[in-house]
């Protein structure tokens, strides 16, 4: 038997190679981490958001990014209008919920998120704070609104402050040191480096091309006196005047949220590592759904299929026939009792249950390959995302989503200070399901270490939160909507955003079928409160 040891050694090496390339195989093991994730519920009922994020009504101020690691990041540049109306918007939304409840237009079911939300609203004294508008100075009112955004949505509000003169000088130095750009891609690389991670220009008009050429000429002749005013005008133009510059300072506020995302149910290979595949890469604006079942012609389309959660889907690509690729909810829920994969501890989860009994179902998204082509979020996170976007379908149309190549990470500096990090989130769930939407396999155990080794492989050096690093990563960039591999970074840390609470309240509509046009209109209208928008009280059955 002289060949047997050789065969064993060969199989062992093959096994090691497979583990290195895929980090974990699909299995039918039960998850062992009992920490609850997702939305626990009983029936597919309509629902409304019960958190405190700000709404931004200007679509050009909203950017959505999807990258390697399976997380979706929304970044909103807060206008003075958004800041000025934050508290009054919160009061208007709370009071509208209370009105439809008290008027018995709706009946609360399943959970007690409304009571938790109402209690927090009262404890923070939001109604009294909102009454201060007009009684304090504009500066005090602005500060009060910002303070409450930070209090009610911790770790998501960022004050961006930069010396714009230094930005101009850095841009001039880059242009001087670089070869004259001969291609569109080279030109865009230079322009986007003016404010990294916050300019994603993917094309140049003739006027902008000419302006860039003049800036290159001035930089190479060290004519800073002429360069600076032209650079400031160019910056304002290519950023659509989003970032205010006053007295040589860039000073504004951003609101950033990061959610786990499910992508196409397929893997791809990069440098020998098997990773989740991202489809429909490039730049894709939100579009209204014009084909399909039910009530069409809008971006905040609500499907009548229960597993879509009776909450808006946000389409970005028409896929033929009646299908669209969209940002939507989990697309699946799981009966908890007797489920062979869910943690046993989930069978007894009853915190927030309206009847005091354990919930029957849980909706969770897979942070990995799972979808038929869409981008899936946890149901509470989709509800929150919708709440941040403009009130109307027309207002949402054209919001840009940037979808990286599968191997390109979302590299970002949250404070705008050049502290580049790989974006991530503390969410460790990944599974596959059948065409009947029954979860049948897990990709990996649902603990942080196993999950990260599966998701990131040997690109990552594992450590505690705040200490995970990446040896070498690429970010993404875009040329004429097409996604390309961007810059190479080395030794970046992983930013692990907290898993955000999923805050939504289930209800039924008294005397109205939730799947009827009237029911869908009410469902949609409850999600539209915000400055500049007049709620349609008839659709809410309040008149």
């Amino acid at each position: 038997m002289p060949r047997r040891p050789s065969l064993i050694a060969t199989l062992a090496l093959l096994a090691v190679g497979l583990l290195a390339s895929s980090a974990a195989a699909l299995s039918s093991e039960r998850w062992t981490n009992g920490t609850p994730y997702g939305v626990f519920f009983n029936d597919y009922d309509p629902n409304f958001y019960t958190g405190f994020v700000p709404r931004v009504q200007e679509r050009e101020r909203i950017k959505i990014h999807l990258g390697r690691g399976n997380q979706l990041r929304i970044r909103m540049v807060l206008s003075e209008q958004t800041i000025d109306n934050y508290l009054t918007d919160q009061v208007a939304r709370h009071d509208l919920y209370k009105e439809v409840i008290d008027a018995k237009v709706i009946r609360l079911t399943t959970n007690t998120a409304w009571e938790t939300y109402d209690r927090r609203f009262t404890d923070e004294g939001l109604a009294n704070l909102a009454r201060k508008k007009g009684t304090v100075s504009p500066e005090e009112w602005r500060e009060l609104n910002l303070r409450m955004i930070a209090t009610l949505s911790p770790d998501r509000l960022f004050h961006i402050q930069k010396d714009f003169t230094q930005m101009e000088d850095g841009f001039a130095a880059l242009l001087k040191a670089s070869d004259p750009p001969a291609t569109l891609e080279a030109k865009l690389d230079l322009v986007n480096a003016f404010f990294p991670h916050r300019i994603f220009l993917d094309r140049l008009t003739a006027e902008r091309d000419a302006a860039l050429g003049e800036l290159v000429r001035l930089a190479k002749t060290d004519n800073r006196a002429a360069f600076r005013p032209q650079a400031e005008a160019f910056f304002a133009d290519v950023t659509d005047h989003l970032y205010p510059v006053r007295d040589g300072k860039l000073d504004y506020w951003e609101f950033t949220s990061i959610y786990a995302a499910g992508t196409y149910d397929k893997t791809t290979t990069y440098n020998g590592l098997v990773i989740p595949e991202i489809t429909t890469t490039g730049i894709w604006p939100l579009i209204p759904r014009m084909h399909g079942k039910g009530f069409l012609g809008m971006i905040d389309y609500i499907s009548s299929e229960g597993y879509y959660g009776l909450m808006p889907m946000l389409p970005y690509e028409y896929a033929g026939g009646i299908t669209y690729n969209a940002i939507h909810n989990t697309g699946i829920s799981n009966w908890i009792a007797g489920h062979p994969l869910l943690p046993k501890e989930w069978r007894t989860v009853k915190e927030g249950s309206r009847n005091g009994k354990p919930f029957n179902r849980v909706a969770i998204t897979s942070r990995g390959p799972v979808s038929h082509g869409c981008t899936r979020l946890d149901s509470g996170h989709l509800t929150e995302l919708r709440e941040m976007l403009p009130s109307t379908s027309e207002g949402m149309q054209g919001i840009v989503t940037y979808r990286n190549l599968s191997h390109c990470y979302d590299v970002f500096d949250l404070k705008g200070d050049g502290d580049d990090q790989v974006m991530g989130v503390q969410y460790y769930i990944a599974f596959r399901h059948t065409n009947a939407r029954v979860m049948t396999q897990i990709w990996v155990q649902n603990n942080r270490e196993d999950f990260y080794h599966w998701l990131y492989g040997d690109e990552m050096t594992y450590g505690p939160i705040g200490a995970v690093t990446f040896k070498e990563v690429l970010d993404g960039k875009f040329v004429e909507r097409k996604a390309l591999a961007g810059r190479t970074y080395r030794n970046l840390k992983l930013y692990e955003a907290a898993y955000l609470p999923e805050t939504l309240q289930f209800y039924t509509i008294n005397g109205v079928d939730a799947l009827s046009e009237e029911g869908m209109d009410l469902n949609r209208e409850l999600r539209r409160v915000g400055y500049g928008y007049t709620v349609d009280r008839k659709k809410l059955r309040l008149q």
Side-chain angles (χ1 to χ4, degrees):
M1 303 288 288
R3 300 171 69 179
R4 186 173 180 83
S6 176
L7 177 60
I8 292 173
T10 301
L11 290 173
L13 286 172
L14 178 60
V16 170
L18 287 172
L19 286 173
S21 65
S22 63
L26 285 164
S27 79
S28 298
E29 294 178 357
R30 182 185 298 279
W31 280 322
T32 57
N33 178 2
T35 304
Y37 285 89
V39 171
F40 287 75
F41 72 107
N42 296 326
D43 299 305
Y44 290 124
D45 288 334
N47 45 82
F48 59 77
Y49 174 68
T50 53
F52 297 95
V53 293
R55 164 156 274 147
V56 171
Q57 297 284 27
E58 308 96 329
R59 59 175 160 257
E60 66 276 7
R61 292 180 172 270
I62 302 167
K63 311 297 179 186
I64 299 173
H65 295 259
L66 178 72
R68 166 98 169 91
N70 280 64
Q71 67 288 308
L72 182 142
R73 172 172 59 88
I74 176 171
R75 178 178 67 94
M76 306 193 300
V77 178
L78 302 188
S79 66
E80 289 303 313
Q81 270 192 307
T82 297
I83 296 170
D84 187 67
N85 287 282
Y86 174 72
L87 279 168
T88 51
D89 272 3
Q90 298 305 311
V91 172
R93 179 155 48 81
H94 169 273
D95 290 356
L96 183 64
Y97 291 164
K98 189 173 189 306
E99 186 177 4
V100 295
I101 294 168
D102 291 348
K104 295 183 169 51
V105 173
I106 65 174
R107 180 178 67 86
L108 304 183
T109 63
T110 300
N111 63 338
T112 58
W114 157 256
E115 285 83 356
T116 301
Y117 163 76
D118 181 53
R119 186 163 53 249
R120 181 76 188 276
F121 179 92
T122 301
D123 290 348
E124 295 289 349
L126 296 186
N128 288 334
L129 291 177
R131 293 189 191 101
K132 291 188 176 184
K133 187 170 187 176
T135 68
V136 297
S137 70
E139 294 76 19
E140 290 175 298
W141 175 247
R142 184 176 189 269
E143 177 58 33
L144 176 60
N145 278 277
L146 288 168
R147 186 168 70 250
M148 293 314 299
I149 295 173
T151 298
L152 296 170
S153 297
D155 302 319
R156 293 198 268 176
L157 181 68
F158 298 93
H159 193 184
I160 311 299
Q161 296 175 293
K162 294 183 76 70
D163 185 319
F164 191 72
T165 301
Q166 288 185 4
M167 288 176 61
E168 289 174 320
D169 289 348
F171 188 45
L174 174 65
L175 296 183
K176 181 179 180 180
S178 302
D179 294 332
T183 65
L184 175 60
E185 182 179 347
K187 292 174 182 178
L188 294 173
D189 285 346
L190 291 175
V191 174
N192 293 333
F194 200 162
F195 198 9
H197 315 308
R198 286 171 173 80
I199 302 177
F200 276 95
L201 208 64
D202 71 309
R203 63 198 66 210
L204 282 175
T205 63
E207 293 78 12
R208 287 175 174 173
D209 195 4
L212 176 62
E214 177 62 10
L215 288 171
V216 170
R217 186 188 69 80
L218 293 172
K220 289 189 178 295
T221 58
D222 283 324
N223 190 345
R224 296 294 174 88
F227 180 89
R228 285 184 179 134
Q230 292 192 39
E232 182 171 345
F234 183 72
F235 178 83
D237 180 43
V238 299
T239 60
D240 296 320
H241 299 267
L242 287 185
Y243 307 116
V245 177
R246 297 184 184 90
D247 301 322
K249 303 293 180 184
L250 188 69
D251 191 330
Y252 69 97
W253 294 84
E254 288 182 353
F255 190 90
T256 296
S257 294
I258 301 174
Y259 308 114
T263 49
Y264 183 49
D265 189 16
K266 189 176 179 181
T267 59
T268 187
T269 303
Y270 178 73
N271 283 348
L273 185 67
V274 178
I275 62 176
E277 181 173 350
I278 297 174
T279 54
T280 316
T281 59
I283 297 177
W284 292 86
L286 297 185
I287 58 175
R289 186 174 186 129
M290 306 305 296
H291 308 277
K293 303 175 182 178
F295 310 105
L296 305 171
M298 62 201 73
I299 289 176
D300 47 351
Y301 166 85
I302 299 175
S303 172
S304 59
E305 299 290 353
Y307 46 77
Y308 286 125
L310 294 184
M311 56 185 62
M313 308 172 76
L314 306 173
Y316 51 82
E317 181 190 28
Y318 177 52
I322 65 170
T323 62
Y324 283 75
N325 286 323
I327 302 170
H328 65 73
N329 78 322
T330 62
I332 180 177
S333 70
N334 306 278
W335 291 98
I336 300 172
H339 199 292
L341 304 180
L342 297 179
K344 291 181 179 179
E345 294 89 341
W346 292 14
R347 298 176 185 177
T348 58
V349 171
K350 58 183 179 181
E351 182 179 356
S353 170
R354 186 160 291 277
N355 63 16
K357 299 177 181 179
F359 294 98
N360 295 331
R361 293 172 168 173
V362 61
I364 47 175
T365 200
S366 170
R367 187 183 174 192
V370 69
S371 172
H372 300 108
C374 292
T375 304
R376 298 186 182 184
L377 303 183
D378 270 1
S379 297
H381 296 159
L382 178 73
T383 303
E384 181 169 89
L385 175 64
R386 173 63 191 100
E387 197 66 34
M388 290 188 277
L389 304 184
S391 296
T392 66
S393 174
E394 295 78 9
M396 287 187 284
Q397 188 166 342
I399 289 175
V400 176
T401 68
Y402 298 92
R403 301 172 61 85
N404 283 359
L405 297 176
S406 301
H407 62 284
C408 293
Y409 286 88
D410 179 18
V411 176
F412 186 58
D413 57 335
L414 288 151
K415 298 178 181 179
D417 56 1
D419 181 18
D420 296 331
Q421 298 178 82
V422 172
M423 296 295 101
V425 61
Q426 297 173 46
Y427 184 94
Y428 318 120
I429 299 285
F431 61 85
R432 294 184 86 177
H433 63 73
T434 65
N435 287 336
R437 299 178 188 266
V438 176
M439 185 172 75
T440 56
Q441 293 176 301
I442 67 171
W443 281 104
V444 64
Q445 275 296 329
N446 63 332
N447 63 77
R448 179 174 175 270
E449 184 170 4
D450 286 344
F451 187 86
Y452 280 3
H453 282 299
W454 168 78
L455 182 64
Y456 298 125
D458 61 6
E459 294 178 342
M460 167 206 71
T461 300
Y462 185 75
I465 291 177
V468 172
T469 59
F470 290 83
K471 302 164 190 173
E472 182 176 295
V473 300
L474 292 167
D475 68 358
K477 67 179 181 180
F478 305 88
V479 177
E480 294 182 325
R481 290 190 61 182
K482 183 180 179 180
L484 301 174
R487 177 183 163 189
T488 299
Y489 299 81
R490 291 179 176 83
N491 301 317
L492 289 190
K493 285 188 176 181
L494 175 66
Y495 175 78
E496 299 177 66
Y499 165 70
L500 297 170
E502 299 187 45
T503 51
L504 56 82
Q505 173 64 56
F506 293 96
Y507 64 90
T508 56
I509 309 170
N510 290 318
V512 174
D513 183 349
L515 302 183
S516 68
E517 185 171 9
E518 187 178 0
M520 294 286 193
D521 280 348
L522 187 149
N523 182 339
R524 197 176 290 110
E525 197 66 18
L526 267 183
R527 305 176 193 270
R528 289 183 165 174
V529 176
Y531 65 92
Y533 179 75
T534 301
V535 169
D536 189 329
R537 294 179 61 82
K538 185 175 181 180
K539 288 183 177 179
L540 293 172
R541 305 183 72 216
L542 291 172
Q543 65 180 39

